[in-house]
Amino acid sequence: MIALAALDIAGTTVEEGGAVYRALHDAVRRHGSAAEMADVAHWMGADKRTAIRSLLGIGGVPDDDAVEEAFGDFERLLRAAYDDTPPVAMPGVLDAFAALRAHGARIALTTGFSAEVTGLLLDRLGWREGDTVDTVVCTDDVPAGRPAPYMVHRAMERTGVWRAADVLTVGDTVLDLEAGTNAGAGFVVGVLSGGVPRTTLAAAPHTHLLDSVAELAGVLAEAHRDAA
């Protein structure tokens, strides 16, 4: 059975046009980093402060003040991008949420964004914690972001799910899949909707690889058969 589904946000459940990675790239370049977009892509799914610290290290050794200044710029740039092109739900996501509910699963969103950016994004979508989803876990809530398992475990704690084997995780990056695996999730699903090549995700640990969250119904049916 699946008692909890922990799904990533950007690229998995939400289409935001890659704005987060453009904002990240622009922010670190403004602070002296020589990072290219290929360097930024390595940090897809990661805690953004951790990503910024590493990217600022391309061209120098950043101190804490530089990291925080670049992080502030990143958040401002991302807000502006979302003002210009508001994020939208990925096709089939709300149907997938309904299917999960029908199978008795709780729903969590996990993300490498800060609480402030996460709140901004969810407000634009009209999604509410305790309504659209049961809980939202961001990097501010845990001691380390992906590939650490802590966001998945925090979602389990908040929803009262204690068997990792009953958890399904879904994400569009290698770090998402590694975090689900490190958490011991029974179902670790990769989706191609975020633009990461199939060969890249296929090389990461996973139980299922789908085109998008819209195809989750097949995984739910399989889990239901196995539990019967």
Side-chain angles (χ1 to χ4, degrees):
M1 63 172 290
I2 294 174
L4 170 66
L7 304 98
D8 174 53
I9 296 182
T12 300
T13 55
V14 176
E15 174 57 71
E16 49 87 68
V20 61
Y21 299 110
R22 291 193 299 274
L24 195 59
H25 183 241
D26 290 347
V28 297
R29 295 281 290 196
R30 289 183 181 193
H31 289 268
S33 174
E36 302 294 341
M37 283 301 293
D39 300 307
V40 174
H42 176 73
W43 293 96
M44 292 177 72
D47 167 59
K48 299 304 176 283
R49 278 190 173 86
T50 301
I52 285 169
R53 183 176 296 278
S54 179
L55 292 168
L56 288 179
I58 303 174
V61 179
D63 57 26
D64 290 343
D65 288 342
V67 172
E68 288 306 310
E69 288 172 7
F71 183 78
D73 280 347
F74 159 70
E75 289 193 322
R76 285 189 290 273
L77 289 164
L78 190 58
R79 286 193 200 95
Y82 287 167
D83 285 339
D84 290 340
T85 307
V88 296
M90 285 282 189
V93 164
L94 295 182
D95 288 339
F97 286 177
L100 286 163
R101 298 279 193 213
H103 279 77
R106 295 180 175 87
I107 300 171
L109 296 177
T110 63
T111 179
F113 293 151
S114 67
E116 186 171 358
V117 170
T118 303
L120 171 70
L121 184 59
L122 297 183
D123 282 345
R124 300 293 174 88
L125 291 162
W127 291 4
R128 295 288 180 268
E129 188 171 1
D131 181 12
T132 312
V133 299
D134 294 290
T135 191
V136 180
V137 183
C138 62
T139 52
D140 294 344
D141 298 319
V142 292
R146 302 169 183 133
Y150 303 135
M151 285 197 287
V152 178
H153 289 163
R154 184 56 53 86
M156 293 172 63
E157 176 187 356
R158 289 181 178 176
T159 57
V161 174
W162 58 271
R163 273 175 43 94
D166 295 337
V167 176
L168 175 148
T169 65
V170 189
D172 66 300
T173 71
V174 169
L175 291 182
D176 291 324
L177 301 184
E178 291 177 343
T181 301
N182 291 338
F187 301 83
V188 178
V189 180
V191 291
L192 302 173
S193 49
V196 176
R198 178 181 290 271
T199 53
T200 300
L201 285 186
H206 65 279
T207 61
H208 300 77
L209 192 58
L210 309 176
D211 286 337
S212 73
V213 171
E215 297 181 357
L216 268 181
V219 180
L220 294 175
E222 175 187 328
H224 183 72
R225 287 194 304 270
D226 290 346

